[in-house]
Amino acid sequence: SATLNLTKKTHLIGDGGYFLNQFTDNTYTVGGTTIKLKTGSNTDMLKVQLDVASTGDDYRSHCAIRNIHFFGNRSDAQSPATRDNNTSGNGIVISGVRYVTLENVIVTKCAEDGVVIQSHDYGSGTISTNNLDIRGCAFHSNYGRGILAAGGDSIMLGCTIGYNGNTGISVSGFGLINNCLVWDNFGAGVFVASTTETPVLVGNKIYDNELSGINIGSTDGHAVITGN
């Protein structure tokens, strides 16, 4: 299998996916609209990054992904530390674009991170990823982080991030994270990295994470944290 690349405005919409038996070896079940990474593919599942001809002046993607389960197939074992079907590959990578929506998207069992939000250099300097709208999503049982959230002017509302092998949410800037459930990750629930942007964490439920609930990672890390 190869990475599915969204290089222009695309709406990728399913009927809703699901999973069962997350905590039992060899009985993990997926259903509904599910995209499964073939064993041995070792690649990112989906990438949102414009082709150079489509960048324009402000790198607006306007892609939307809704009601789909991305199953990374790292292993038949339930432990996030195990990756023998695929040994590399993220679920969704959003790279150097603006205005992308993820709604009711599930990303599970990836061999690296569930979701990666990152900058990209199209050839004339680094472009950060901004203005994302992430709602009602679930990022579970990935080998690495549930989501690496960078950039700015973005929102993540009502998501669940649990049982990932590293940090649940690693945030550098991003924007507002509100009313999310962050539980039972093997690193911190939320890790705030060094950033010039200030993430805002409001009204989240964060519990039973291996290292800490919220970890301010360095002297340059800062955030607004209230009501969690």
Side-chain angles (χ1 to χ4, degrees):
S1 297
T3 301
L4 176 61
N5 291 293
L6 304 187
T7 60
K8 295 178 173 62
K9 179 181 177 180
T10 305
H11 286 196
L12 193 62
I13 302 174
D15 290 329
Y18 65 86
F19 61 89
L20 302 171
N21 301 323
Q22 178 180 0
F23 302 113
T24 308
D25 288 344
N26 304 310
T27 60
Y28 190 81
T29 303
V30 301
T33 304
T34 295
I35 299 175
K36 177 181 177 180
L37 188 65
K38 183 180 177 181
T39 296
S41 298
N42 298 313
T43 189
D44 297 335
M45 295 190 69
L46 181 142
K47 189 171 189 178
V48 182
Q49 180 180 295
L50 297 170
D51 56 31
V52 174
S54 302
T55 55
D57 294 326
D58 53 9
Y59 303 91
R60 295 185 180 216
S61 166
H62 291 294
C63 284
I65 305 161
R66 293 184 168 96
N67 307 326
I68 298 174
H69 177 199
F70 292 86
F71 173 39
N73 188 29
R74 58 168 175 76
S75 179
D76 296 326
Q78 57 85 19
S79 169
T82 306
R83 47 179 182 175
D84 45 16
N85 290 343
N86 283 287
T87 58
S88 62
N90 302 292
I92 297 174
V93 178
I94 304 174
S95 181
V97 293
R98 300 173 64 196
Y99 297 101
V100 175
T101 297
L102 302 182
E103 184 176 4
N104 194 28
V105 170
I106 301 171
V107 185
T108 66
K109 282 199 156 188
C110 293
E112 292 184 73
D113 296 333
V115 176
V116 175
I117 300 166
Q118 63 185 21
S119 300
H120 179 70
D121 189 342
Y122 291 93
S124 57
T126 300
I127 304 300
S128 63
T129 292
N130 298 314
N131 306 105
L132 305 185
D133 187 344
I134 303 174
R135 296 172 183 256
C137 296
F139 312 131
H140 288 194
S141 292
N142 301 291
Y143 177 87
R145 296 164 287 201
I147 178 169
L148 170 59
D153 299 322
S154 298
I155 59 174
M156 181 161 60
L157 303 177
C159 297
T160 63
I161 302 96
Y163 205 62
N164 296 286
N166 201 312
T167 301
I169 304 172
S170 182
V171 60
S172 175
F174 185 74
L176 171 66
I177 300 172
N178 175 237
N179 195 32
C180 291
L181 178 64
V182 187
W183 56 274
D184 207 19
N185 297 285
F186 284 71
V190 180
F191 176 76
V192 179
S194 174
T195 177
T196 57
E197 301 281 345
T198 301
V200 180
L201 308 174
V202 180
N204 302 288
K205 188 172 183 179
I206 304 169
Y207 65 94
D208 284 351
N209 297 284
E210 186 75 16
L211 297 183
S212 57
I214 300 173
N215 182 359
I216 307 297
S218 71
T219 56
D220 294 326
H222 51 88
V224 175
I225 302 170
T226 183
N228 297 284

